């Protein structure tokens, strides 16, 4: 559909429908006047003179009576015709104004949609008002903002994936070229380095596949009634050797009795593992991490608090975005794949919970917590 058809079609149809309503109304008025006016005129004449139109010869001659009726009919017909003309002109003027007010905002929304289709993601509909058309424009603008954000994240994702793969590929290629040229001697160290880089790329691919499944809803969540204390202690036990190797203390703080939750055991354990790994990664040697759980209304809140690097307030809203890092200069190998928190958020929300990050600022640690519904 062309812009001209959109511009003229809707407005013309609205105007024609408006004029059709006015025409039907005027026709009804004209027919009503023709039917009602003669007897009404006769009744008024009787009321005021005591005689109707059909009086004797002494009161009024036949010629005078015919002339009176003819004059009355002619005057009434002219008045109706003039009224129709005036009403039609007024209807056209008002119709053009009203249809312009309706079609104009819709035309601007259509134009904005065409601009977005051409790739102008920043296009917005300039239409405001408290009525349904204003709501349509606001909804369109919210949709356009969501599309623009999605496009920005898509571009960022492509760039981040390319960057994540570039470093290990460059390392592998450098070693292989050195081996082929005889510059690098084959050794266990070289093979271990090559194996480590390929394992790193494999982890990234697996994380991307997991993220794709989670965000597309392809991950099956099996909700069972679980004891949260077992999940917390199991996660702490699994990570204890890694914390000990780095010299970071891992504390577990649980009340004596915790209510059961409705959750997927494996997915919840995966979320705890991602949060504990993230806390360990950003907590220096000699620091501490506390893993706790406590009821909060109809939910149970799991919490991982560390004494690590902390997060500036302007970054808190983005720490769950794909590949987002607070410190861009940090080593990619030491900073993880950058999508563990994204997967954690998706898994928590798939189970009916919420996840959030808090921090008092740089060098003051951070707290990651998530909620899951209580059983019953």
């Amino acid at each position: 559909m062309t812009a001209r058809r959109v511009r003229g079609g809707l407005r013309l149809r609205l105007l024609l429908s408006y004029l059709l309503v006015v025409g039907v109304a005027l026709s009804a008025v004209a027919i009503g006047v023709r039917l009602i006016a003669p007897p009404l005129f006769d009744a008024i004449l009787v009321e005021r003179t005591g005689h109707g139109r059909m009086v004797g010869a002494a009161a009024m001659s036949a010629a005078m009576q015919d002339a009176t009726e003819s004059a009355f009919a002619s005057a009434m017909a002219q008045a109706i015709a003039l009224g129709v003309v005036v009403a039609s002109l007024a209807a056209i003027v008002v119709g053009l104004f009203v249809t312009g007010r309706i079609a104009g905002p819709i035309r601007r929304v259509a134009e904005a949609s065409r601009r977005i289709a051409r790739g102008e993601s920043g296009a917005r509909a300039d239409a405001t008002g408290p009525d349904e058309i204003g709501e349509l424009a606001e909804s369109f603008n919210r949709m356009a903002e969501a599309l623009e954000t999605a496009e920005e994240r898509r571009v960022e994702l492509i760039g981040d994936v390319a960057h994540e793969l570039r470093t290990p590929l460059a390392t592998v290629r450098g070693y292989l070229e050195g081996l082929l040229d005889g510059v690098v001697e084959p050794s266990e160290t070289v093979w271990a380095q090559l194996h480590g880089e390929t394992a790193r790329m494999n982890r990234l691919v697996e994380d991307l596949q997991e993220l794709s499944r989670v965000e597309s809803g392809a991950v099956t969540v099996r909700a069972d009634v679980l004891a949260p204390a077992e999940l917390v202690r199991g996660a702490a036990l699994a990570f204890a050797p890694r914390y000990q190797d780095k010299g970071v203390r891992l504390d577990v703080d649980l009340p004596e009795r915790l209510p059961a939750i409705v959750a997927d055991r494996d997915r919840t354990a995966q979320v705890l593992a991602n949060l504990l790994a993230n806390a360990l990664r950003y907590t220096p040697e000699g620091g501490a991490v506390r893993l706790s759980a406590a009821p909060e209304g109809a939910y149970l809140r799991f919490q991982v608090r560390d004494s690590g690097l902390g997060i500036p307030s302007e970054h808190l809203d983005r720490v769950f975005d794909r590949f987002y890092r607070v410190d861009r200069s940090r080593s990619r190998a030491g900073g993880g794949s950058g999508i563990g928190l994204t997967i954690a958020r998706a898994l928590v929300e798939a189970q009916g919970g919420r996840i959030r990050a808090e921090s008092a600022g740089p060098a003051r640690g951070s707290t990651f917590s998530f909620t899951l519904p209580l059983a019953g």
Side-chain angles (χ1 to χ4, degrees):
M1 180 178 292
T2 64
R4 182 173 298 176
R5 288 179 61 188
V6 173
R7 184 179 298 112
L10 177 61
R11 190 172 187 181
L12 180 60
R13 288 195 297 270
L14 287 173
L15 181 61
L16 291 177
S17 63
Y18 183 77
L19 293 178
L20 178 62
V21 173
V22 172
V24 171
L26 291 176
S27 300
V29 170
I31 294 173
V33 169
R34 294 285 296 178
L35 295 176
I36 298 174
L40 181 61
F41 173 73
D42 190 48
I44 293 174
L45 188 62
V46 170
E47 179 183 352
R48 295 185 178 182
T49 64
H51 301 285
R53 291 176 297 164
M54 302 300 297
V55 295
M60 181 182 292
S61 66
M64 179 66 68
Q65 181 174 323
D66 292 340
T68 301
E69 292 180 355
S70 176
F72 172 76
S74 177
M76 186 176 61
Q78 293 179 24
I80 291 175
L82 181 61
V84 169
V85 172
V86 173
S88 299
L89 292 176
I92 292 174
V93 173
V94 174
L96 289 173
F97 174 77
V98 172
T99 55
R101 296 276 294 180
I102 296 175
I106 296 177
R107 184 174 65 249
R108 289 192 287 272
V109 171
E111 176 61 27
S113 67
R114 286 191 293 272
R115 291 174 59 193
I116 290 178
R118 292 194 299 265
E120 301 177 28
S121 58
R124 297 293 183 271
D126 182 17
T128 58
D131 55 6
E132 289 81 356
I133 297 178
E135 294 178 2
L136 171 65
E138 291 178 3
S139 299
F140 177 86
N141 288 338
R142 286 195 295 270
M143 179 196 69
E145 290 175 3
L147 290 174
E148 184 177 17
T149 301
E151 178 64 15
E152 290 175 354
R153 291 184 175 179
R154 184 187 69 83
V155 173
E156 290 179 0
L157 175 62
I158 294 174
D160 287 334
V161 170
H163 185 86
E164 292 288 343
L165 291 174
R166 185 181 297 115
T167 301
L169 282 174
T171 302
V172 171
R173 181 178 179 178
Y175 273 107
L176 291 177
E177 289 179 349
L179 290 170
L180 289 173
D181 296 338
V183 177
V184 177
E185 293 293 333
S187 65
E188 292 185 1
T189 302
V190 172
W191 301 130
Q193 183 69 24
L194 290 173
H195 180 270
E197 294 299 331
T198 55
R200 180 180 168 191
M201 288 187 289
N202 185 67
R203 285 195 303 270
L204 175 60
V205 172
E206 290 178 350
D207 286 344
L208 288 172
Q209 289 178 335
E210 177 71 9
L211 178 62
S212 176
R213 288 194 297 267
V214 170
E215 292 191 338
S216 65
V219 172
T220 302
V221 176
R222 297 179 177 85
D224 296 315
V225 178
L226 306 175
E230 294 181 6
L231 294 172
V232 171
R233 293 193 181 98
L237 183 62
F239 273 81
R242 296 171 59 181
Y243 273 74
Q244 186 175 1
D245 290 343
K246 189 175 180 180
V248 177
R249 190 176 74 253
L250 177 59
D251 299 325
V252 177
D253 183 12
L254 295 175
E256 292 184 2
R257 295 178 61 87
L258 278 177
I261 60 173
V262 178
D264 186 303
R265 181 183 299 275
D266 295 335
R267 299 305 178 185
T268 305
Q270 185 177 354
V271 174
L272 288 171
N274 284 349
L275 295 183
L276 287 173
N278 183 77
L280 178 62
R281 186 176 298 116
Y282 294 103
T283 302
E285 182 179 358
V289 174
R290 186 171 70 95
L291 174 60
S292 63
E296 186 177 280
Y299 295 85
L300 186 79
R301 180 171 296 280
F302 296 85
Q303 190 175 81
V304 178
R305 175 175 295 177
D306 64 64
S307 60
L309 301 180
I311 305 172
S313 59
E314 63 270 19
H315 295 279
L316 286 173
D317 292 338
R318 297 203 60 190
V319 293
F320 294 102
D321 292 351
R322 306 183 194 97
F323 295 107
Y324 189 78
R325 286 183 175 84
V326 175
D327 185 3
R328 290 290 181 176
S329 63
R330 186 176 177 86
S331 168
R332 306 300 258 196
S337 66
I339 57 178
L341 292 179
T342 309
I343 294 175
R345 178 180 61 181
L347 291 176
V348 169
E349 292 179 351
Q351 298 180 80
R354 291 290 182 269
I355 190 170
R356 67 182 182 185
E358 301 171 280
S359 178
R364 303 183 65 180
S366 57
T367 301
F368 289 84
S369 60
F370 66 95
T371 59
L372 291 176
L374 296 175

